[in-house]
Amino acid sequence: MPIIKSAKKRVKTAKKATVRNSKTKRSLKTALKAFVKKSDAKNHSAAQSNLDKAVKKGLVHKNKAARVKKQLAAKAKAAGAKPTAAAKKTTAKPAAKKAVAKKAPAKKPATKKAPAKKK
């Protein structure tokens, strides 16, 4: 057991994080198994959503999630599952930001040339 106060706090927060992470991992595994069992649009969107949540929380690397989502999409397409409105909604682009007017760059002072040397 740690003696230092900050180490005690880290133990407490690590326990909380472990519980949170295990819940997220369990829901991800459940969603993936449900999709494998029955490849329909509802299970497909649930699996993708759980993958995105796991990436957001840092449990799964984003490239792995992209790879798994691609595999899920291929299985859904092979099974003939059509994407629902909720699944289409996830591919929407974020709103564009307003363009900010740029300031003109400050002019640099002219540098003086050294006088030419005489021979």
Side-chain angles (χ1 to χ4, degrees):
M1 192 67 192
I3 299 170
I4 299 169
K5 189 175 182 179
S6 61
K8 289 178 183 177
K9 185 177 180 182
R10 290 301 311 151
V11 168
K12 286 181 184 178
T13 55
K15 284 182 183 178
K16 289 179 186 176
T18 303
V19 170
R20 222 178 11 248
N21 292 344
S22 64
K23 285 182 181 179
T24 306
K25 286 180 187 178
R26 175 53 39 208
S27 65
L28 175 60
K29 287 179 187 177
T30 305
L32 290 175
K33 286 180 183 179
F35 177 75
V36 169
K37 192 172 185 179
K38 185 176 180 187
S39 299
D40 62 349
K42 182 181 176 185
N43 288 334
H44 183 234
S45 63
Q48 282 189 336
S49 175
N50 281 314
L51 268 168
D52 290 336
K53 287 177 187 175
V55 169
K56 186 177 175 183
K57 294 182 180 184
L59 298 175
V60 177
H61 193 272
K62 64 179 185 177
N63 292 349
K64 180 179 179 177
R67 186 176 68 242
V68 172
K69 284 167 75 172
K70 183 178 178 180
Q71 292 168 353
L72 293 176
K75 286 181 183 178
K77 186 176 180 181
K82 301 267 182 179
T84 60
K88 289 180 183 178
K89 192 181 237 184
T90 59
T91 59
K93 295 180 181 177
K97 294 182 180 179
K98 290 184 179 179
V100 179
K102 292 184 178 180
K103 294 182 180 179
K107 291 184 179 179
K108 294 182 181 178
T111 56
K112 294 182 181 179
K113 290 185 179 179
K117 292 183 179 178
K118 294 183 182 178
K119 292 185 181 180

